[in-house]
Amino acid sequence: MRLFLAFLVFLLSGCGSLTTVPADEPPPAPRKGGYYKDDGPGANPPADLASIPDAVPRGEPLHPFANRPYEVFGRTYVPLAELRPYRETGIGSWYGRRFHGAPTSSGEPYDMYALTAAHPTLPIPSYARVTNPANGRSVVVRINDRGPFHAGRVIDLSYAAAYRLGFAQAGSARLEVESIVPGEATLVAAPPPPGARAEEAEPPQPASGVYLQLGAFAGRENAESFRVRLARELGSLADGLRLIGSGGVFRLHIGPYRSREEARPIAERIRSQLSLEPLFVAR
């Protein structure tokens, strides 16, 4: 059904590449467990989905066909013709193995384990930061597909992105979407001040042990802001809270602990106090 709709959009829009419809059914309602229909992580998912890195924003030429106006289900969509600031909040969902390997609107095969997304009007290709306000998690995705085309939904994420944001099993969640224009200072790690030593450009790497990860960010500014908020709300629990960074991706960790068993009571207190779901990370 999805490929048929993609071909129909292709005919109606006159695009030179397939416009893939990320879902051809109503958005799944939030639920406590299980996956929507036959979607899911597939038979052989990567060993650690939580470690899949964010997409790295870079300057790319816009696709010559995927950004033309098009019509789906009687509604006309006019994609943005340039990279510019854009922000919206609404219900986001994800699509997985049902479409893994199928062509996206950019003509690239869909990879459910890459951090990508489908959006009705953001330029293809472009980049966006997507945040789950319920748990503070944030990812950077590359927009390479069109959709979703159902009222009330603002973005369809890859399975890996939904997993990173903590709502893969729920099916959908309220999300914040903010476009990224490569080169914007607020969206990348701030450069060190003049005369600073090279090793000061990024936070020091942590000692070995088990850590609880409480968030991941594409920019130092957002990571620092969330760290200050957590430190205020966690009180004495925040003694081991630290910001680590690598390749422009910054993460908030508490630890180290000698084992998962030692870290588990802290994870339970954080879960109860802040409604956050810490990730166990071994280093």
Side-chain angles (χ1 to χ4, degrees):
M1 181 63 175
R2 178 181 171 126
L3 293 181
F4 169 75
L5 287 173
F7 183 64
L8 178 61
V9 173
F10 168 74
L11 293 178
L12 292 175
S13 65
C15 291
S17 63
L18 288 176
T19 300
T20 305
V21 181
D24 52 3
E25 300 87 5
R31 54 197 183 279
K32 293 183 179 179
Y35 298 105
Y36 183 55
K37 290 197 171 181
D38 58 346
D39 253 342
N44 298 294
D48 191 356
L49 286 169
S51 296
I52 294 177
D54 287 0
V56 179
R58 59 188 178 90
E60 297 183 71
L62 298 187
H63 195 282
F65 304 114
N67 296 296
R68 294 177 179 176
Y70 62 97
E71 183 178 323
V72 177
F73 301 143
R75 178 178 175 181
T76 299
Y77 296 84
V78 182
L80 298 177
E82 61 182 356
L83 300 177
R84 64 183 190 220
Y86 180 97
R87 187 193 300 266
E88 64 182 332
T89 300
I91 300 300
S93 52
W94 60 270
Y95 56 121
R97 68 185 179 204
R98 296 178 67 201
F99 313 112
H100 189 62
T104 62
S105 299
S106 64
E108 304 162 345
Y110 171 57
D111 182 354
M112 62 185 289
Y113 301 125
L115 292 195
T116 63
H119 192 276
T121 58
L122 283 177
I124 291 179
S126 63
Y127 297 83
R129 177 186 293 111
V130 184
T131 302
N132 184 349
N135 57 23
R137 297 183 189 178
S138 179
V139 298
V140 174
V141 297
R142 182 171 179 267
I143 309 295
N144 68 348
D145 207 357
R146 288 289 174 228
F149 301 119
H150 292 283
R153 283 201 295 184
V154 299
I155 196 167
D156 261 358
L157 298 172
S158 66
Y159 171 76
Y163 183 93
R164 285 272 310 273
L165 289 175
F167 74 93
Q169 285 203 274
S172 61
R174 187 166 184 81
L175 304 173
E176 297 172 356
V177 180
E178 181 182 9
S179 64
I180 293 177
V181 179
E184 286 188 351
T186 59
L187 299 173
V188 298
R197 293 178 300 171
E199 60 266 27
E200 294 176 346
E202 290 191 344
Q205 297 305 301
S208 298
V210 174
Y211 290 81
L212 298 175
Q213 180 172 305
L214 304 182
F217 306 83
R220 185 194 300 264
E221 181 178 340
N222 283 350
E224 285 284 3
S225 177
F226 193 58
R227 183 188 65 79
V228 171
R229 173 189 152 195
L230 285 179
R232 182 172 58 250
E233 296 183 3
L234 289 173
S236 61
L237 280 181
D239 291 344
L241 185 64
R242 65 193 67 205
L243 177 65
I244 65 169
S246 177
V249 177
F250 298 86
R251 295 176 171 84
L252 287 172
H253 284 184
I254 288 182
Y257 303 97
R258 288 170 294 182
S259 65
R260 290 175 65 98
E261 288 67 29
E262 183 182 22
R264 202 178 306 279
I266 306 300
E268 291 295 335
R269 292 177 61 183
I270 292 172
R271 187 180 297 113
S272 173
Q273 185 173 333
L274 300 179
S275 297
L276 283 178
E277 187 65 37
L279 297 177
F280 290 85
V281 178
R283 290 189 171 276

